[in-house]
Amino acid sequence: MTLVELAKRTGEGIGVLQDILINVGESIDSEFHPLSIDIAELIAMEVGASVKRIHVSEGKEILPRPPVVTVMGHVDHGKTSLLDSLRQTSVAANEAGGITQHLGAFVVSMQSGASITFLDTPGHAAFSAMRARGAAVTDIVVLVVAADDGVMPQTLEAISHAKAANVPIVVAVNKCDKPAANSERVKLQLASEGLLLEDMGGDIQVVEVSALKKTGLDNLEEALLLQAEVMNLKARVDGPAQAYVVEARLHKGRGPLATAIVKAGTLVCGQHVVVGSEWGRIRAIRDVVGNLAERATPAMPVEIEGLKGLPMAGDDIIVVQSEERARMLSAGRKKKFERDRLLKISNGRAEELEQSEEVPQRAEMPIIVKADVQGTVQAVTDALRSLNSPQVFVNVVHVGVGPVCQSDVDLAQACGACIVGFNVKSPASSITMAATQAGIKILMHRVIYHLLEDIGNMIVEKAPGTFETQVAGEAEVLNIFEIKGKSKAKGGDVKIAGCRVIDGCVSKTATMRLLRSGEVVFEGPCASLKQEKHDVEKVGKGNECGLVLCNCDAFQIGDVIQCLEQVVRKPKFISSESGAVRIEC
């Protein structure tokens, strides 16, 4: 667009935009001269506008491409085992506890000669954001449902992700070899959730498979290729690439690595790219097996190296003309990201100040998160933040990819944080010793359930709790005794309630409540508590006692005296069968 059009869209004056152009080192002959997309984005970001690039799908060379298939479903329903059967490998064996914790991309060559790109997404509740990104780059969703378990919470979540991304679904009913398998029940459950299955006159294919016995895989292959044929999947091969980051990790020797899937165009080795707010020159492109490749074509998952920093999973990859342009665009995006972050923090503090009169003070739990890949960092951070409660605020002060290092211990010591290492190797003994001396907890985990349970228990310990009044015991008035006062100096008449403790215990130091027909008649302290003429502090259930209340002598036979005590009620950590966790206050 031209500078005039950009001024209209952003609501800024042409003079302001021209000043920004000069600052970024660009010059134009006229305000009606078209700007390049990179410069237009830079100017828009500088004036605080949000920018989204829309890639061109037209090109000279448009060819059919393999479908990108995402495997979704509930935890332990056999998603990874199904992929293992298709590609004759064993990924599940390398995952902690048999649970997939990463988002991986694989190309599976079918017996028919066709190839399908598979995305394997984690099924646990904490990885909702990762599954959402999986659905964003996919063409077809394979919804795996266990025949012996049926539709579960994450199954419904996967359906909603697929519908939100407007992606067709193919249902794979797994574990059909089990004795308790009931595929018809699964079909009815799916139909009740609004999925129009082929058996019921709809267009969603249902395939019965067994990943363990390797049965029904041919039918699943045919169903996927048929769905892809109906969709007529084609992509532009020429021109700059449009690609998305699926996962990112830090390699000790090769630096930041990003797993990406090309949607359109061709990604060529040596190009300058901007990935989210990071930039770099593609030094090497590797396919899923690890072999070097010169270029990446549509629907091809590749690992690229040469980036200056670690991008976020879900970022788009933009090819730019020069290193200077890449550096400039990256700096502009970082600046806007930081500005938005600070604005969000200031808005949050303003809201807290407004509510501070009503909301009780919360304890803060600072946490440092380190994980092996960027997507896992985000997922673990989201899961920890979901444990926020009215009494404890989970503050993730720092996140990073890679093992726990000395700088993490220093930061934890400065802000009193605990360090969470997820799927990373154990820290060196010197770091562990330094953390122990500083009184810093380092929690190392490989399974998300155990991590959330540990942090949940720490939150329960740290929570101040709420003071509640509860009934410690009840006594029934059986008789009333009256002692006449001899003189005013020694005191007047005293009425003693002769009681039997019917529940709990009655304590002399507690507050007493007198109930008559369920209504409160009096509430106040106890003046005297005796058992067989002896002063006592407590009387247990089933025992009889004499009780005198301060400033109250309106006893009647049949009244109930309750003993009240103040207790601190701590929050509870609750974990459901689906894996979802929460703190209940």
Side-chain angles (χ1 to χ4, degrees), residues 27 40 43 146 179 225 297 312 416 444 474:
S27 60
I43 295 170
L225 293 175
T297 50
M312 305 289 276
M444 302 300 293
E474 286 188 349

Side-chain angles (χ1 to χ4, degrees), residues 192-251:
S192 66
E193 294 301 331
L195 290 188
L196 302 171
L197 308 180
E198 268 189 345
D199 298 1
M200 300 170 188
D203 57 353
I204 294 175
Q205 299 178 79
V206 181
V207 185
E208 294 183 13
V209 296
S210 168
L212 202 66
K213 298 283 177 70
K214 295 184 174 57
T215 56
L217 301 182
D218 295 344
N219 298 338
L220 180 62
E221 174 193 338
E222 284 174 21
L224 291 172
L225 293 175
L226 178 64
Q227 184 68 51
E229 197 177 320
V230 169
M231 294 170 75
N232 192 23
L233 298 171
K234 290 184 178 180
R236 163 179 65 81
V237 180
D238 58 329
Q242 174 194 353
Y244 292 95
V245 175
V246 174
E247 194 55 275
R249 64 192 176 96
L250 208 57
H251 190 272

Side-chain angles (χ1 to χ4, degrees), residues 365-371 380 384 387 402-404 409 412 417-427 431-432 435 440-459 461:
M365 176 174 272
I367 295 175
I368 292 169
V369 177
K370 295 298 288 282
V380 170
L384 292 175
L387 290 175
V404 177
V409 175
C418 77
I419 301 169
V420 169
F422 190 79
N423 247 5
V424 292
K425 63 180 182 181
S426 298
I431 292 170
T432 310
I440 294 160
K441 272 189 181 178
I442 299 180
L443 304 176
M444 302 300 293
H445 283 283
R446 286 177 60 79
V447 178
I448 193 80
Y449 304 112
H450 304 158
L451 167 64
L452 294 178
E453 193 174 337
D454 267 13
I455 298 293
N457 291 331
M458 283 171 67
I459 287 172
E461 279 178 32

Side-chain angles (χ1 to χ4, degrees), residues 154-169:
Q154 269 78 60
T155 316
L156 301 176
E157 206 175 342
I159 293 169
S160 63
H161 281 316
K163 284 182 176 176
N166 199 20
V167 177
I169 296 172

Side-chain angles (χ1 to χ4, degrees), residues 414-564:
C415 61
C418 77
I419 301 169
V420 169
F422 190 79
N423 247 5
V424 292
K425 63 180 182 181
S426 298
S429 56
S430 58
I431 292 170
T432 310
M433 200 180 293
T436 308
Q437 286 172 353
I440 294 160
K441 272 189 181 178
I442 299 180
L443 304 176
M444 302 300 293
H445 283 283
R446 286 177 60 79
V447 178
I448 193 80
Y449 304 112
H450 304 158
L451 167 64
L452 294 178
E453 193 174 337
D454 267 13
I455 298 293
N457 291 331
M458 283 171 67
I459 287 172
V460 170
E461 279 178 32
K462 193 158 188 175
T466 51
F467 282 98
E468 282 188 359
T469 302
Q470 71 176 29
V471 178
E474 286 188 349
E476 187 183 0
V477 179
L478 302 177
N479 209 339
I480 299 163
F481 306 97
E482 192 171 351
I483 299 174
K484 296 284 183 182
K486 292 178 182 178
S487 65
K488 285 186 179 178
K490 291 185 178 180
D493 298 346
V494 177
K495 274 194 177 179
I496 302 168
C499 309
R500 181 187 289 119
V501 181
I502 54 175
D503 191 25
C505 71
V506 174
S507 174
K508 185 181 176 180
T509 53
T511 303
M512 300 294 176
R513 183 189 284 165
L514 182 64
L515 298 179
R516 186 171 299 146
S517 303
E519 290 185 10
V520 179
V521 177
F522 171 81
E523 190 172 316
C526 175
S528 171
L529 182 66
K530 291 195 177 189
Q531 194 174 14
E532 294 177 355
K533 297 185 179 181
H534 300 292
D535 284 319
V536 288
E537 289 298 315
K538 279 186 178 181
V539 179
K541 183 179 177 181
N543 295 313
E544 292 184 353
C545 61
L547 200 145
V548 178
L549 297 181
C550 288
N551 305 320
C552 177
D553 55 4
F555 298 117
Q556 287 184 13
I557 293 168
D559 287 352
V560 173
I561 297 173
Q562 287 184 336
C563 174
L564 307 176

